[in-house]
Amino acid sequence: MNSRIPGLYKQDVDERLSSVAERAGLSDDAVRAFRGDAFDATDADMVSENVVGTIEFPLSIATNFRIDGEDVLVPMAVEETSVVAAASNGAKWARPTGGFLTSTSGPIMIAQIQAVDVADPHAAALRIQRLEGELIELANEQDPILIEHGGGCEEIRPRVLDTTRGEMVVTHLLVDVRDAMGGNAVNTMAEALAPEIESITGGEVHLRILSNLADQRLARASCTVPPEELETDEVDLAGTEIRDRIVDAWAFAESDPYRAATHNKGIMNGIDAVMTATYNDWRAIEAGAHAYAAQGGYAPLTTYAVDDDGNLSCTIELPIQAGTLGGATQLQPVAQAAMELLDVDSADAFAGVLASVGLAQNLAGLRALVSEGIQAGHMNLHAKNIAVQAGAPPELVDDIAARMVSEDAIRQDRAEELIVELSE
Ligand code: MEV
């Protein structure tokens, strides 16, 4: 499979779906789901409460991704202009050096059990530590299927927290959740262990819930971009200059949380769009990403540097709590089709895709910011859409869009005039 589909953006929606379906060998069910009408308010009633309807997002495909040696077409659901185009561009610049390389720390989720009113918290924490084996056994009795698949609770870590309401013993369960997001599995284990924790500590257990600061479930991606890939007709800057400005932009984010918040928002534009397209819990990843970014003072989740060959070396690391098994994906045919398109065989592989998309998104955002600015891209894309809507033949779309942008007249009537003028 080759994820390069030049000119995809010039096709109409039906043609585009056919191109993607053919390229990815999508099933008829997936194509039908993408075509629409596969999920109505009655179906949605199974997902949430007090449902009165559904709301649509554009479902787009980001091209050009090569991740760990395999090409991937990436489904993205997002209402913001330029996000999908930017992700596809970022992925294209990484292709000459082989695309993205990813790794993960393994699918380990954390659950927390809060015990209050503990007479001697430090002694209680030591007792919990001593009984780790029994507690792990009890946790694992809750989920034989997870154990069968090689997962399960692996470690118990008691902590003593000094809070404004006095000391508390907070016990962490570290659970390998394999290919699930794992929320249900770890919450069930935490609830099951609560009486035991009460009897060990002599305190009272209140909260039993996963932590979205999933710092034992990290995904990393890296790519290398030759400077010439970063050049653009929009500005008269050498690739090496754009490369250096991107490193400066990263240094700015590293030194300033005001900038780092926006920098990381750019990353999440891509990750959230894939999470939405696949009906996964993007709030969990948002919470985890920002908490992780804040651990040593709020910082960017990516890094940029110039390597020994003069290329831009780009990396990302963040917690990715997403699975390929269970969750709401099965309830939504479009989300299932999106997973079919992604064709990932494990939660770790899915995490690698999400991290790569976040990195591509951030890289493309920074490239735009240090060169023509982001408004030009928005306007170009908008102008192209208007040209296509006005019926411009594919070979004229770029020209008509460029003319409308330079005249500051991005309108259907102007596009129609230009079609006539340029077709003569
Ligand atoms: C816009 O949604 C995202 C950007 O602002 C990200 C950034 O500034 O890096 C372009």
Side-chain angles (χ1 to χ4, degrees):
M1 210 277 284
N2 182 343
S3 67
R4 292 263 308 121
I5 317 183
L8 187 69
Y9 72 93
K10 293 183 192 160
Q11 299 178 357
D12 69 28
V13 171
D14 283 339
E15 286 169 344
R16 235 179 253 145
L17 178 53
S18 303
S19 303
V20 169
E22 193 189 322
R23 192 58 76 83
L26 280 184
S27 67
D28 291 346
D29 280 353
V31 173
R32 254 194 307 278
F34 280 148
R35 210 163 263 145
D37 296 335
F39 187 79
D40 60 19
T42 314
D43 302 312
D45 208 25
M46 306 294 288
V47 179
S48 182
E49 304 78 36
N50 297 352
V51 170
V52 295
T54 57
I55 184 164
E56 301 294 331
F57 279 91
L59 192 275
S60 310
I61 307 298
T63 53
N64 304 326
F65 276 89
R66 187 164 184 76
I67 302 173
D68 297 325
E70 301 270 349
D71 274 26
V72 188
L73 286 166
V74 179
M76 299 178 79
V78 61
E79 83 299 342
E80 186 177 333
T81 309
S82 300
V83 167
V84 177
S88 305
N89 280 336
K92 191 163 83 188
W93 306 330
R95 280 183 84 84
T97 55
F100 299 87
L101 290 178
T102 75
S103 66
T104 59
S105 61
I108 309 288
M109 291 292 287
I110 298 169
Q112 299 189 290
I113 304 172
Q114 174 207 27
V116 300
D117 294 336
V118 179
D120 184 347
H122 290 277
L126 279 177
R127 286 197 298 277
I128 291 172
Q129 196 67 75
R130 265 203 305 275
L131 291 167
E132 181 179 30
E134 283 156 51
L135 290 167
I136 287 178
E137 213 170 290
L138 181 58
N140 285 338
E141 278 168 19
Q142 313 307 314
D143 203 333
I145 297 189
L146 184 60
I147 311 303
E148 238 170 68
H149 286 86
C153 181
E154 294 186 339
E155 206 179 319
I156 305 280
R157 286 189 194 163
R159 301 157 66 221
V160 177
L161 293 189
D162 194 8
T163 81
T164 50
R165 304 271 294 171
E167 285 190 322
M168 296 176 188
V169 178
V170 174
T171 304
H172 282 194
L173 278 57
L174 273 61
V175 184
D176 181 334
V177 296
R178 299 282 85 199
D179 291 325
M181 187 276 182
N184 281 332
V186 301
N187 290 340
T188 303
M189 288 181 184
E191 291 193 2
L193 258 54
E196 204 60 26
I197 295 291
E198 285 192 336
S199 82
I200 298 169
T201 59
E204 203 176 290
V205 164
H206 291 173
L207 270 59
R208 297 140 296 161
I209 185 73
L210 65 79
S211 168
N212 286 121
L213 176 50
D215 62 0
Q216 307 299 304
R217 195 178 190 176
L218 299 176
R220 304 178 192 97
S222 61
C223 68
T224 302
V225 178
E228 58 277 14
E229 291 295 319
L230 300 168
E231 282 168 12
T232 158
D233 294 340
E234 308 293 330
V235 291
D236 188 19
L237 284 173
T240 47
E241 173 70 7
I242 297 177
R243 174 202 65 193
D244 292 348
R245 289 184 181 201
I246 290 175
V247 182
D248 289 345
W250 166 76
F252 174 16
E254 234 212 342
S255 309
D256 181 11
Y258 286 94
R259 173 57 208 153
T262 324
H263 180 107
N264 288 342
K265 190 272 184 182
I267 295 169
M268 301 315 290
N269 272 345
I271 294 176
D272 288 348
V274 181
M275 290 291 280
T276 305
T278 54
Y279 238 46
N280 276 294
D281 183 351
W282 51 267
R283 286 87 53 209
I285 296 208
E286 279 282 342
H290 295 290
Y292 190 65
Q295 279 192 312
Y298 194 82
L301 293 161
T302 51
T303 67
Y304 293 89
V306 180
D307 72 12
D308 291 345
D309 300 321
N311 295 324
L312 183 65
S313 164
C314 323
T315 71
I316 186 168
E317 179 180 275
L318 78 167
I320 295 279
Q321 40 211 311
T324 50
L325 281 182
T329 307
Q330 287 100 311
L331 303 172
Q332 223 295 2
V334 184
Q336 274 180 300
M339 287 308 285
E340 183 183 319
L341 180 66
L342 276 174
D343 197 23
V344 283
D345 58 7
S346 66
D348 278 348
F350 187 30
V353 170
L354 289 160
S356 302
V357 173
L359 183 55
Q361 197 74 58
N362 182 230
L363 168 64
L366 294 184
R367 201 287 296 258
L369 287 169
V370 303
S371 53
E372 74 269 22
I374 59 160
Q375 284 313 104
H378 282 204
M379 285 305 144
N380 277 336
L381 211 68
H382 181 55
K384 281 181 196 168
N385 286 338
I386 298 289
V388 170
Q389 275 165 33
E395 65 279 9
L396 290 184
V397 169
D398 283 348
D399 229 7
I400 291 173
R403 294 269 288 262
M404 290 194 296
V405 170
S406 71
E407 293 168 6
D408 199 13
I410 306 173
R411 298 188 316 266
Q412 174 112 1
D413 61 320
R414 183 61 188 137
E416 285 165 3
E417 281 169 18
L418 286 166
I419 294 171
V420 175
E421 200 180 310
L422 296 172
S423 303
E424 276 163 5

